[in-house]
Amino acid sequence: MDSALTTTNLCKTYGKHEVLRDVNLRVPTGAVYGFVGANGAGKTTTIRILLGLARATSGSATVLGVQRGSLPPTPVEGVSYLPDVPNISPWLSPKDALISFARLEGTSADVASGRADDLLDLVGLRHASGKVGSFSRGMKQRLGIAASLITAPRLLILDEPTSALDPMGRADVLSIIRELSGHATVMFSSHILGDVEKVSTHIGLLHRGRLLAQGRLEELLAESGNTQAHLMVSARAELRREVVEAIRAVDPGAVVEPGVQGLERFYEGLVARGEAR
């Protein structure tokens, strides 16, 4: 499978502070790529270089076949970006906001209007009343995703799209990202491992500026022995205990722990081994 985005030995330093060291990303075309790392790991710096907003100290990068890493940047058609806090005029209605973004890119008014309706349906805001300024944080985030899609991009880059949302807002945004699978390549950064595991086809794990692992999510977890089946049981405590006992009767080696996911264990193990070096 060809790659929508790559980096080769990408490095970035600010003075003596090393932010990225020899990062080699491969984001397959059509993937939903979760770019995982703690706050300060270097995710946003990587994204800024990919977008042409920052210069690489060394190494190279390509976005849809266009070279990145140097300034001034060359515009790349087919790429959309959503920052962690969307900045949309509070005085506009959601549809007018989307049409404005589309018109800036040269889309005709009729096409822009049709796309706006379709995207507002996608993000669940078709019948939202009022201006953008009255929207909740989650509604603004969903509208931001719609705005980033209004030009029908081939590659969508999202920086921490769920970090400031409540559980319902996060679930809404993750559902939208899942819907985009197969329609566009999506790269989204996050430090929330559960969110990444729910929607990603591929992942890259960044820690202190180094890429510890990347690849297809299910394959990485299988290779590490961290595959898990997630079972939600809504019942009284006695019945839940019976379910756990039944699972262990079938597989005595099964580990049954609430709230622990495969990616979380995988990430913790990689970080621990990296720290031990």
Side-chain angles (χ1 to χ4, degrees), residues 237-273:
E238 293 82 0
L239 180 56
R240 289 199 296 270
R241 283 196 295 271
E242 290 176 10
V243 171
V244 170
E245 290 172 1
I247 293 173
R248 287 175 174 159
V250 175
D251 181 2
V255 178
V256 184
E257 295 180 356
V260 179
Q261 301 189 57
L263 181 57
E264 182 179 343
R265 287 184 177 278
F266 181 53
Y267 179 74
E268 289 174 352
L270 282 177
V271 170
R273 289 194 293 275

Side-chain angles (χ1 to χ4, degrees), residues 133-182:
S134 67
F135 282 12
S136 68
R137 179 71 174 82
M139 293 171 70
K140 289 178 180 177
Q141 194 73 20
R142 284 185 279 147
L143 182 61
I145 293 177
S148 67
L149 293 170
I150 194 67
T151 57
R154 294 160 52 200
L155 172 63
L156 177 61
I157 299 176
L158 310 173
D159 193 4
E160 296 280 0
T162 63
S163 62
L165 301 181
D166 60 26
M168 288 300 296
R170 283 168 53 200
D172 288 341
V173 170
L174 292 174
S175 178
I176 295 166
I177 293 174
R178 191 181 295 111
E179 287 288 325
L180 295 175
S181 180

Side-chain angles (χ1 to χ4, degrees), residues 106-246:
T107 306
S108 69
D110 289 344
V111 171
S113 179
R115 283 184 185 172
D117 287 336
D118 291 342
L119 289 171
L120 290 173
D121 279 336
L122 174 68
V123 301
L125 295 174
R126 179 69 175 271
H127 302 294
S129 59
K131 306 299 184 184
V132 174
S134 67
F135 282 12
S136 68
R137 179 71 174 82
M139 293 171 70
K140 289 178 180 177
Q141 194 73 20
R142 284 185 279 147
L143 182 61
I145 293 177
S148 67
L149 293 170
I150 194 67
T151 57
R154 294 160 52 200
L155 172 63
L156 177 61
I157 299 176
L158 310 173
D159 193 4
E160 296 280 0
T162 63
S163 62
L165 301 181
D166 60 26
M168 288 300 296
R170 283 168 53 200
D172 288 341
V173 170
L174 292 174
S175 178
I176 295 166
I177 293 174
R178 191 181 295 111
E179 287 288 325
L180 295 175
S181 180
H183 299 283
T185 304
V186 180
M187 177 186 184
F188 75 102
S189 67
S190 181
H191 64 277
I192 306 174
L193 299 176
D195 289 355
V196 174
E197 188 167 5
K198 288 174 183 175
V199 300
S200 299
T201 61
H202 297 70
I203 59 168
L205 303 177
L206 194 69
H207 179 64
R208 295 186 177 180
R210 293 186 177 186
L211 191 67
L212 299 183
Q214 76 171 334
R216 185 175 290 277
L217 175 59
E218 60 185 23
E219 293 176 357
L220 289 175
L221 296 183
E223 290 171 3
S224 66
N226 280 292
T227 53
Q228 294 186 357
H230 301 284
L231 177 65
M232 180 178 292
V233 179
S234 178
R236 63 184 187 276
E238 293 82 0
L239 180 56
R240 289 199 296 270
R241 283 196 295 271
E242 290 176 10
V243 171
V244 170
E245 290 172 1

